[in-house]
Amino acid sequence: MKNPILLAAPLLALAACNSQPKQPEVLDSNPDPMANSLANAAPVELPPAIRADKTLRCGDGSLVGVTFFQGDKLVSVRVPSTATPVRLTAPEAGQPYTADGGWKLTGDEKSVTVTPAGKAALTCHD
């Protein structure tokens, strides 16, 4: 038969070792050099979500790509539809979208009139 005192002695020794709770030691050997800048940075505004992405056929047979964004103040236009997109903005929802160089777009997802920089206006529909 085993002696109960011999079994309890190691448990008492372990309990005595942990009588004072220790605070964890935090080492920061590699601090973030931008932590202060990021903490004081202005909030970031995300771009609006895409509402519709359309390819429309124009009266001359060409294709125009138009991406409409939520809020009705931003569109992205590709003339022709494979070209690099141009970002057009409107000051208020419902007003024409414009960009530098003479770009202008009016309309919605079903029908638009787009005037590329230095070119004639195109009327396009789905």
Side-chain angles (χ1 to χ4, degrees):
M1 182 163 156
K2 294 185 181 179
N3 189 351
I5 294 175
L6 291 176
L7 292 175
L11 293 175
L12 290 173
L14 285 174
C17 290
N18 198 14
S19 62
Q20 294 289 335
K22 284 187 157 185
Q23 295 295 326
E25 187 176 344
V26 178
L27 298 175
D28 193 2
S29 61
N30 190 14
D32 184 358
M34 293 185 62
N36 208 17
S37 303
L38 293 172
N40 297 323
V44 176
E45 184 178 337
L46 295 174
I50 294 174
R51 186 180 77 222
D53 190 22
K54 298 286 188 166
T55 301
L56 307 170
R57 181 154 313 270
C58 302
D60 65 356
S62 64
L63 294 175
V64 171
V66 183
T67 304
F68 294 89
F69 293 88
Q70 295 289 339
D72 298 328
K73 292 184 181 181
L74 175 66
V75 294
S76 179
V77 179
R78 300 170 312 278
V79 179
S81 63
T82 57
T84 302
V86 176
R87 185 180 176 133
L88 285 76
T89 58
E92 294 296 324
Q95 294 186 357
Y97 302 94
T98 59
D100 292 339
W103 284 88
K104 183 177 178 183
L105 182 134
T106 57
D108 58 21
E109 295 90 358
K110 296 183 187 281
S111 177
V112 298
T113 300
V114 61
T115 306
K119 296 182 180 174
L122 298 167
T123 302
C124 313
H125 56 85
D126 59 352

